[in-house]
Amino acid sequence: MLVLGIETSCDETAAAVVEDGRRVRSDVVASQILAHAPYGGVVPEVASRQHVATIVPVIRRALTDAAIGFGDLDAVAVTCGPGLVGALLVGVETAKALAFALGKPLVGVNHLAGHLAAASLEDPTLPTPPPFPHLALLVSGGHTAIIRVDEPGKTRLLGATRDDAAGEAFDKVAKLLGLGYPGGVAIDKLAATGNPRAVALPRALAGRDDLDFSFSGLKTAVATWLAKDRAAGSARLPEGAALADLCASFQTAVVDVLVRKSRRALAREGLGALVVCGGVAANRGLRAALAEAARADGFALFIPPPKRCTDKASMIAAAGSELFVRGKYAGLDLAVDPGLEL
Ligand code: KG4
Ligand code: ZN
């Protein structure tokens, strides 16, 4: 079974071929980071235009890399939400045209379900797929949520962020520190050499019994710390060891809360396996802290390799394969839904 996945929900134009729901035959991404960088964030209209320009070559490349022709495909899966409406439309309309021309089934995939499926893709670090039921910690630029996954497509939201997503917090703090966009990777790198206890930062909702998150206060605390630093006579943004210390302190504040709530949810739900997905799952501090918690508490940890944590079409093809085998096809009237929920 060969499924083509297409992903254009935000600022990556991506196409992939996945075999039998698990084996990645190709995974092509045309990143738009350079096009959006001058604006310090994703500009929706720019994203749509870039998708239009690159979607066809990206799909052709995915087929070439997989060494197959269009006729070998069994289905076409595409992200239909959540995301930017104009960006989603490019992928969905392209997928419809392709499915219609090839006479193959079309499958509409929820981007978040795609992230959840990333840990099911074959990889040397993930010899077996995660068992069901399991808990999922989804930490991306747009979402932060703790989800109970009973089976593919059967999920229950246990907690979510009340304001900024974890990735959004990384990006906003990186912007405050002059580290450019997107800033998660830059903070991750700097944090590796810093002292996580150098700057005292808040852990919002940490002591509470619920499984929700809040990161906007943390971003404000970093801004306040920078303002005080300036008031104390510092003319410039922190550099060198001071910058590394601030990054390490911020990252640890985010990681602490994510780990604490995951452990609480696993215990409360009586689950023995945790899947972590979304762009922030690539963070080395989070991966190390969760590995330690898994050893201490005895749960099984499934985190895709860093390259499969951020938006890729392989995750859409994987989630699409699950729907395809269940016969859950979409019609040619498949609509995009920018606010689609799991
Ligand atoms: O899942 P994703 O690629 O896109 C969304 O669906 O949002 O996640 C992108 C987010 C960005 O906020 C980016 O800064 C963050 O993931 N990110 C990281 C790292 N790599 C990507 N955050 C922290 N550490 C990283 N290594
Ligand atoms: Zn994503």
Side-chain angles (χ1 to χ4, degrees):
M1 175 181 70
L2 292 169
V3 172
L4 172 69
I6 298 175
E7 153 66 36
T8 64
S9 67
C10 192
D11 60 342
E12 320 272 15
T13 316
V17 175
V18 168
E19 186 176 351
D20 298 334
R22 257 177 72 67
R23 204 155 315 116
V24 181
R25 293 276 298 260
S26 65
D27 212 358
V28 180
V29 185
S31 171
Q32 303 180 0
I33 283 184
L34 290 178
H36 299 286
Y39 308 100
V42 177
V43 182
E45 184 60 26
V46 173
S48 308
R49 285 167 191 266
Q50 293 274 331
H51 286 312
V52 169
T54 49
I55 186 79
V56 172
V58 164
I59 291 172
R60 284 194 189 282
R61 179 66 190 272
L63 271 90
T64 307
D65 286 1
I68 62 165
F70 281 111
D72 297 320
L73 291 171
D74 293 291
V76 179
V78 63
T79 306
C80 56
L84 302 169
V85 65
L88 288 164
L89 273 169
V90 179
V92 167
E93 295 310 313
T94 307
K96 281 183 194 173
L98 206 50
F100 178 71
L102 298 172
K104 306 280 172 162
L106 174 71
V107 181
V109 176
N110 182 315
H111 180 83
L112 306 177
H115 275 301
L116 297 186
S120 304
L121 290 165
E122 216 171 67
D123 184 79
T125 60
L126 292 170
T128 57
F132 292 97
H134 61 248
L135 190 78
L137 172 67
L138 169 62
V139 274
S140 72
H143 294 83
T144 297
I146 291 191
I147 301 154
R148 183 187 166 99
V149 186
D150 283 299
E151 56 186 71
K154 190 164 173 250
T155 57
R156 186 156 55 85
L157 185 68
L158 303 176
T161 182
R162 298 185 180 180
D163 39 59
D164 292 350
E168 198 178 352
F170 269 94
D171 294 340
K172 285 179 174 173
V173 166
K175 206 167 172 177
L176 287 175
L177 297 174
L179 297 174
Y181 161 85
V185 176
I187 291 184
D188 189 352
K189 214 175 265 175
L190 284 160
T193 60
N195 171 9
R197 279 177 293 277
V199 181
L201 293 169
R203 270 79 168 150
L205 309 180
R208 295 176 60 119
D209 214 26
D210 63 44
L211 297 171
D212 284 345
F213 303 94
S214 168
F215 293 111
S216 72
L218 179 56
K219 172 202 64 194
T220 308
V222 173
T224 307
W225 188 90
L226 287 171
K228 276 195 189 138
D229 193 42
R230 286 245 165 100
S234 168
R236 285 178 295 157
L237 286 168
E239 291 174 349
L243 177 61
D245 284 352
L246 186 55
C247 287
S249 301
F250 162 75
Q251 179 171 295
T252 304
V254 176
V255 167
D256 268 2
V257 184
L258 294 175
V259 173
R260 205 177 302 183
K261 302 251 167 170
S262 300
R263 289 173 117 158
R264 185 180 293 166
L266 282 162
R268 193 180 296 173
E269 295 291 314
L271 295 171
L274 176 68
V275 165
V276 191
C277 55
V280 182
N283 185 270
R284 285 175 293 171
L286 178 62
R287 296 172 85 94
L290 284 170
E292 203 180 305
R295 269 192 300 275
D297 295 3
F299 61 84
L301 183 61
F302 297 83
I303 316 185
K307 64 175 185 209
R308 296 220 184 108
C309 290
T310 49
D311 292 348
K312 287 273 155 57
S314 53
M315 70 187 201
I316 302 305
S321 300
E322 287 162 359
L323 295 169
F324 173 64
V325 296
R326 287 173 164 74
K328 294 187 176 170
Y329 307 159
L332 289 176
D333 58 350
L334 175 67
V336 302
D337 183 351
L340 188 63
E341 289 180 0
L342 256 181

